[in-house]
Amino acid sequence: MLHFVHNPDQYYPWKGKGMTVYLKDVADNLKQATKTTNAFMKSPKPNVIVKVDGFAQQFATREGRQMLANEYVTGTEDGTPWIIPANQFAIEQIKPLSIADLAIKDTMTLDKSTVAAILQIPRFLLGIDEFNQKEWEMFINTTVRPIMIEIQQEMTKKLIISPKMYLRFNYWSLMGWDLKTISDVLLAGSDRGFVTGNEYRDRIGFEPKEDLDELRILENYLPFDMSGKQKKLVQDGD
């Protein structure tokens, strides 16, 4: 049985508790915000209100109000002016509440930001803000990479018998670096004898070549073990 210990228990350190945060309230808020938005969009509001002076009893019923609309509002042709009794009508155009007025967007943004902070993930993964390379790299190094280490250690311990072999994830593939950044990092390591030519070629997707497995340094790219035999370092035969 493979047991990946994430967030070790306080009393049983060999046992992982996993993610222990409670997001039910935040999830309920996001769900309710979606319902409110859908309901609001399905019930359009009129953009004109007609205030009637008098006839309180006549227009107290739905039939009376419909009679008023048929007589003075819907009975006119397109472009034809309305003719209404003076001092009895006041017609105003109103704007119904919008999604912005209900502050649903702001509430959803706040709830999503809360989720991102609790789970330690970038906000742009939840549709907030734009992609940020440094924020993504921080997420990979501080949140994703520890989980990768937990998985590779457990699988190495229980699945691989040879003491000379181990499992390791390539977290470089998650960093989102462009080709120029990867090339600059590898070339800097190559100049100092830390990276071979074939390691460089492998990272940028090229096939390996012969005679590129030696570590070389910047000074004429000599093999690493011959760096002290340069002519400029030899004085008076020493």
Side-chain angles (χ1 to χ4, degrees):
M1 177 180 296
L2 297 177
H3 177 61
F4 304 102
V5 182
H6 183 63
N7 189 18
D9 187 88
Q10 181 178 359
Y11 300 101
Y12 307 99
W14 63 88
K15 181 180 179 181
K17 296 189 298 183
M19 190 65 67
T20 58
V21 297
Y22 298 95
L23 298 175
K24 183 178 184 302
D25 292 340
V26 177
D28 289 342
N29 290 340
L30 292 174
K31 185 177 180 181
Q32 184 59 44
T34 302
K35 288 183 178 180
T36 303
T37 302
N38 292 336
F40 184 84
M41 299 302 294
K42 291 180 180 178
S43 59
K45 304 296 187 298
N47 58 357
V48 173
I49 285 183
V50 179
K51 295 190 296 185
V52 180
D53 183 17
F55 307 105
Q57 294 182 353
Q58 182 179 359
F59 300 117
T61 63
R62 182 174 182 179
E63 291 76 10
R65 293 190 296 272
Q66 186 63 43
M67 183 182 67
L68 172 68
N70 293 336
E71 184 174 354
Y72 293 105
V73 180
T74 60
T76 61
E77 298 180 357
D78 294 341
T80 303
W82 288 356
I83 301 177
I84 59 178
N87 302 324
Q88 291 187 355
F89 290 85
I91 301 176
E92 299 178 0
Q93 182 176 0
I94 64 170
K95 294 183 179 180
L97 291 176
S98 65
I99 299 298
D101 296 327
L102 297 178
I104 293 179
K105 180 179 179 181
D106 295 337
T107 301
M108 295 182 67
T109 299
L110 180 61
D111 288 338
K112 288 182 178 182
S113 299
T114 302
V115 173
I118 293 176
L119 298 181
Q120 298 180 355
I121 63 177
R123 284 158 46 102
F124 61 80
L125 290 180
L126 299 180
I128 308 174
D129 298 335
E130 297 180 355
F131 174 78
N132 185 294
Q133 179 66 36
K134 292 185 178 180
E135 188 176 357
W136 173 256
E137 293 176 6
M138 179 65 69
F139 167 63
I140 296 298
N141 282 318
T142 59
T143 302
V144 176
R145 192 178 182 186
I147 297 177
M148 296 171 63
I149 294 176
E150 295 166 3
I151 295 175
Q152 68 188 24
Q153 287 180 345
E154 178 70 5
M155 296 182 69
T156 298
K157 177 181 178 181
K158 295 184 177 178
L159 296 181
I160 299 179
I161 299 177
S162 173
K164 297 182 179 180
M165 301 179 65
Y166 60 93
L167 184 146
R168 185 181 65 182
F169 289 112
N170 178 19
Y171 85 99
W172 272 50
S173 61
L174 301 177
M175 296 300 289
W177 294 334
D178 56 28
L179 185 60
K180 183 179 184 305
T181 301
I182 296 176
S183 177
D184 291 343
V185 172
L186 294 174
L187 287 177
S190 176
D191 291 343
R192 292 161 176 78
F194 302 145
V195 179
T196 67
N198 279 331
E199 288 174 332
Y200 173 87
R201 294 178 62 86
D202 177 68
R203 292 295 185 183
I204 61 176
F206 291 169
E207 295 181 355
K209 288 186 174 295
E210 296 182 1
D211 302 328
L212 288 181
D213 289 324
E214 282 187 312
L215 293 174
R216 299 175 180 272
I217 60 174
L218 181 60
E219 184 63 34
N220 297 327
Y221 293 95
L222 296 171
F224 184 78
D225 56 356
M226 296 180 61
S227 59
K229 299 181 180 180
Q230 303 171 58
K231 291 184 178 180
K232 67 179 183 179
L233 300 179
V234 179
Q235 298 181 3
D236 299 330
D238 295 331

